[in-house]
Amino acid sequence: MLSVPLVAQVGGTPLETLITKTIDGLALGAIYALLALGFVIIFKATQVLTFAHGAVSAMGAYLVSYFAITLNIPGRWIPDLPVTLQFTLSAVIAIVVAAGIGMALERVFIRPMIGEPLFSIVMITIGLDIVIRTIVGDYIGQGNTVVTGAPWGFLSQWKIGGVIIQHAQVATIIVAIVTVAVLMWFFKSRIGIAMRATAFDQEAAMAQGISAGRIFSLAWAIGAALAVLGGIFAAVPPRALGVSAGTAFFALRAFPAIVIGGLDSIKGAVVGGFIVGMAEVMAGHYLSSVTALGIGFNTVVPYLVMMAVLLVRPHGLYGTVEIRRV
Amino acid sequence: MLEVANLEVVYNDVVLVLRGISIEVPEGEIVALLGANGAGKTTTIRAITGLLDVHEGDITKGRISWKGEAIEKMDPADIVRAGITQVLEGRRIFAEMTVDENLKTGAFTSKSKVSEAAAYDRVMTMFPILADRRSSISGYLSGGEQQMLAMARALMADPELLILDEPSLGLAPKLVQQVKEIIVEINKQGTGVLLIEQNANMALSIAGHGYIMETGKVVMDGASDKLLQDEDVQEFYLGLHVSGERKSFKDIKHYKRRKRWLS
Ligand SMILES: Nc1ncnc2c1ncn2[C@@H]1O[C@H](COP(=O)(O)OP(=O)(O)OP(=O)(O)O)[C@@H](O)[C@H]1O
Ligand SMILES: [Mg+2]
């Protein structure tokens, strides 16, 4: 087994270390932000907090590996293209497939539950999570890791003095920024405005001729696509060697980010994602020598931040104070 | 022409609230639908616009036809596309969105950018207040402005029939007057209007024909001027007697609103 550095190797002055760690934190935050955005869009549009997000994320990452490695589609037809580009195209295919699966899940399992107690719907998403995770787990195999390839290399990095920047980190951050920009554009577009309207007042939106059902489908499609996007960066080197049982749990680590941001806020998902990513990385580095805190304390930090934010702002940083229930 | 015939509506499979309503709105006319709180006016509109589902209501009897075609099984979006739009009771603007964005939702069924732009221009001329507030968050508009926005939003779909559910509710007399003038103007431009009101005076002063509902039935209908002359109408709906009577009706209102998602 290759040993993979999960965090950038650090050398150099304290300032250089700080910069290295900041980039690392931003990259991790970008993944959390992508995952959180999917959660929030589904919640905002349909008022359903989905606990199947982690499973969908892992499923998507598995699909990426399936297209990129197993089938080598579309790489087999365009072998001359750089590997990163081939991988990107495979990822796009996987994302489209996952978005379709997201729509199907909504149509089959969630829509019939509309109007039923929220608790029942949440239980359904938990059920979905278990089912999807089990199926994907069977494909992956017990304790296995299914490689996704290494589109941004294993150790490919730039060194500027003592500052280390990994290619994969830059890719993650760029993809997150582009995604946020696309979403901002989307929510100003005709369909995006219709989605916001439906989220705000379903009946009033329907009275304008907006089909609420289609909006729900679309929200789940977008949510699933974002889950996969986050899942990819959680599964590829250097963060991991590929898709494993852990990929599904990774998405759940975005949970504090959503709560910090305020559940129904797009901006909150992004800010929350970056806060959590940064807190986790910084704690991992600067508190690792405080042995009293124990090993792996950094993974607890997001929850501590979450609790601190909730104590001061019970609805998160940007959450709607009165979250309306359907 | 919109025709509602012998309509019966039941909520939650048990509560019968419309007991055989029949109304007609001829093309291009203003028709008033009056009645006290709980009479079933809003329910009638929900039935017409396909929004009963959201409230767990069902049509158990009767027909609704629009231009000769049955619409009682159509979904709300198709009904809007067929030319019927409504301004919901209580305005229901999208408070978090700007004025322009609200108007965009109204144009959701627009067939082309050109027709959307034309509707937008028309609305801006008709509601100059909105023209000044295009990018304001609509939740910060005054009650009167919000009512204008709700009407403007409905007009963005370029309807042939506009249904207004109590547009004067909670507005000062001066604004009621303004709303009234706008309804007349909308109608002049060729749109039919079904006007639901508790303010019978205002409604009958502009409608050609009026219907009066009580507990799920039409108890009286006729030409507006006839209704205005009628003693019972004067007593119960125009408040031309002991004042305070109408106030007591107001308190009956408000069952718990339960929104439902459409499947
Ligand atoms: N979703 C619902 N479930 C059960 N009953 C309902 C529902 N909506 C309305 N009702 C009942 O149906 C009757 C008619 O209500 P509706 O809202 O149609 O009256 P309205 O004439 O519009 O009254 P208002 O002037 O107060 O708006 C009332 O008795 C009301 O309590
Ligand atoms: Mg009503």
Side-chain angles (χ1 to χ4, degrees):
Chain A
M1 217 12 135
L2 275 165
S3 92
V4 173
L6 288 180
V7 288
Q9 269 150 5
V10 177
T13 66
L15 178 65
E16 287 167 341
T17 305
L18 180 65
I19 296 172
T20 300
K21 285 291 153 193
T22 303
I23 294 163
D24 197 14
L26 286 175
L28 183 60
I31 300 179
Y32 288 148
L34 288 170
L35 293 163
L37 277 167
F39 259 114
V40 166
I41 286 172
I42 290 177
F43 181 75
K44 214 172 148 63
T46 69
Q47 257 76 28
V48 173
L49 195 59
T50 170
F51 285 92
H53 212 59
V56 171
S57 162
M59 174 198 75
Y62 179 80
L63 283 173
V64 173
S65 147
Y66 186 68
F67 284 112
I69 307 295
T70 314
L71 298 179
N72 189 22
I73 285 178
R76 59 168 73 193
W77 301 303
I78 33 176
D80 300 335
L81 228 56
V83 174
T84 312
L85 220 59
Q86 286 186 18
F87 177 88
T88 305
L89 292 172
S90 302
V92 169
I93 295 171
I95 286 170
V96 172
V97 171
I101 294 174
M103 275 166 114
L105 291 177
E106 188 273 335
R107 194 71 189 79
V108 176
F109 296 102
I110 307 296
R111 200 140 359 139
M113 293 301 292
I114 281 165
E116 304 300 334
L118 207 61
F119 174 75
S120 316
I121 306 183
V122 168
M123 289 315 289
I124 292 236
T125 69
I126 291 176
L128 279 177
D129 175 69
I130 293 169
V131 172
I132 299 170
R133 211 145 32 80
T134 308
I135 296 173
V136 174
D138 282 348
Y139 278 99
I140 294 172
Q142 192 97 48
N144 266 357
T145 296
V146 175
V147 292
T148 46
W152 295 284
F154 280 92
L155 291 167
S156 316
Q157 58 190 33
W158 292 289
K159 265 186 136 168
I160 304 160
V163 174
I164 296 162
I165 307 171
Q166 297 176 343
H167 293 183
Q169 291 172 333
V170 176
T172 316
I173 294 168
I174 290 175
V175 167
I177 290 171
V178 171
T179 304
V180 170
V182 169
L183 284 175
M184 274 163 54
W185 166 85
F186 169 74
F187 281 114
K188 296 277 172 201
S189 73
R190 173 172 167 272
I191 307 278
I193 288 175
M195 184 175 281
R196 283 160 62 205
T198 308
F200 187 81
D201 184 338
Q202 190 198 326
E203 187 184 16
M206 288 165 72
Q208 315 309 319
I210 296 164
S211 158
R214 285 200 201 147
I215 296 292
F216 296 155
S217 284
L218 183 62
W220 274 77
I222 296 174
L226 290 168
V228 178
L229 215 45
I232 292 171
F233 290 109
V236 299
R239 203 163 290 283
L241 280 172
V243 193
S244 65
T247 313
F249 292 106
F250 196 95
L252 292 184
R253 279 159 64 188
F255 202 74
I258 303 154
V259 178
I260 289 170
L263 278 182
D264 64 346
S265 163
I266 303 290
K267 189 171 161 195
V270 176
V271 174
F274 281 110
I275 289 178
V276 167
M278 202 61 93
E280 202 178 311
V281 168
M282 292 303 169
H285 181 73
Y286 291 102
L287 300 180
S288 61
S289 52
V290 188
T291 41
L293 293 173
I295 300 166
F297 179 73
N298 55 319
T299 55
V300 185
V301 168
Y303 293 92
L304 293 180
V305 178
M306 177 181 87
M307 290 190 283
V309 168
L310 285 184
L311 284 174
V312 185
R313 298 181 66 104
H315 299 280
L317 294 178
Y318 302 102
T320 311
V321 170
E322 178 80 340
I323 290 176
R324 290 158 317 111
R325 276 280 130 80
V326 170
Chain B
M1 178 151 93
L2 175 77
E3 280 178 276
V4 176
N6 298 316
L7 191 68
E8 254 184 40
V9 169
V10 170
Y11 282 118
N12 303 307
D13 297 324
V14 282
V15 200
L16 179 71
V17 289
L18 295 190
R19 311 152 185 264
I21 293 272
S22 298
I23 56 174
E24 282 181 10
V25 185
E27 205 186 313
E29 285 196 21
I30 302 182
V31 169
L33 182 58
L34 312 170
N37 288 122
K41 306 179 298 289
T42 300
T43 304
T44 307
I45 298 184
R46 283 179 192 152
I48 297 171
T49 54
L51 289 171
L52 279 176
D53 260 4
V54 189
H55 299 273
E56 310 217 29
D58 282 302
I59 296 176
T60 47
K61 238 192 218 165
R63 281 173 300 111
I64 304 171
S65 69
W66 168 239
K67 300 203 262 188
E69 226 176 287
I71 58 167
E72 65 259 17
K73 293 203 174 61
M74 270 163 75
D75 70 48
D78 289 333
I79 292 169
V80 173
R81 276 190 205 98
I84 302 178
T85 312
Q86 72 159 319
V87 178
L88 292 160
E89 185 177 2
R91 295 157 203 149
R92 307 276 285 270
I93 55 159
F94 303 117
E96 294 175 356
M97 308 203 300
T98 66
V99 166
D100 267 356
E101 285 170 342
N102 268 273
L103 295 176
K104 275 225 174 76
T105 65
F108 190 76
T109 55
S110 247
K111 286 177 195 77
S112 67
K113 283 251 176 275
V114 180
S115 60
E116 182 178 336
Y120 187 78
D121 286 344
R122 172 161 92 120
V123 155
M124 284 297 153
T125 331
M126 202 177 274
F127 302 93
I129 319 171
L130 299 181
D132 302 335
R133 313 285 302 261
R134 283 164 207 232
S135 34
S136 312
I137 296 295
S138 58
Y140 298 138
L141 300 182
S142 71
E145 288 164 344
Q146 291 189 5
Q147 182 61 48
M148 304 296 165
L149 176 57
M151 290 166 70
R153 182 178 65 180
L155 285 176
M156 288 298 291
D158 213 356
E160 287 167 65
L161 175 65
L162 179 67
I163 304 180
L164 296 143
D165 196 348
E166 302 202 28
S168 74
L169 194 73
L171 297 185
K174 210 171 130 191
L175 282 164
V176 174
Q177 181 61 29
Q178 213 176 332
V179 166
K180 177 174 138 179
E181 281 159 16
I182 286 167
I183 296 172
V184 171
E185 175 61 26
I186 291 169
N187 179 248
K188 255 198 205 131
Q189 297 185 10
T191 308
V193 175
L194 176 57
L195 176 59
I196 282 64
E197 265 300 338
Q198 296 209 28
N199 186 336
N201 232 334
M202 182 272 241
L204 290 176
S205 71
I206 57 174
H209 199 93
Y211 292 85
I212 295 177
M213 281 182 77
E214 251 170 43
T215 54
K217 281 201 188 110
V218 171
V219 291
M220 192 186 292
D221 82 290
S224 295
D225 41 3
K226 286 252 171 55
L227 290 177
L228 279 166
Q229 304 298 317
D230 189 278
E231 262 177 38
D232 288 342
V233 177
Q234 285 187 349
E235 180 170 345
F236 290 110
Y237 298 101
L238 302 179
L240 298 179
H241 68 310
V242 218
S243 61
E245 178 88 20
R246 278 180 45 215
K247 232 184 206 156
S248 64
F249 276 121
K250 274 229 154 87
D251 310 325
I252 312 171
K253 207 166 181 177
H254 288 319
Y255 47 91
K256 204 173 149 241
R257 273 238 159 76
R258 181 149 173 254
K259 285 194 277 167
R260 247 187 131 243
W261 323 8
L262 177 82
S263 44

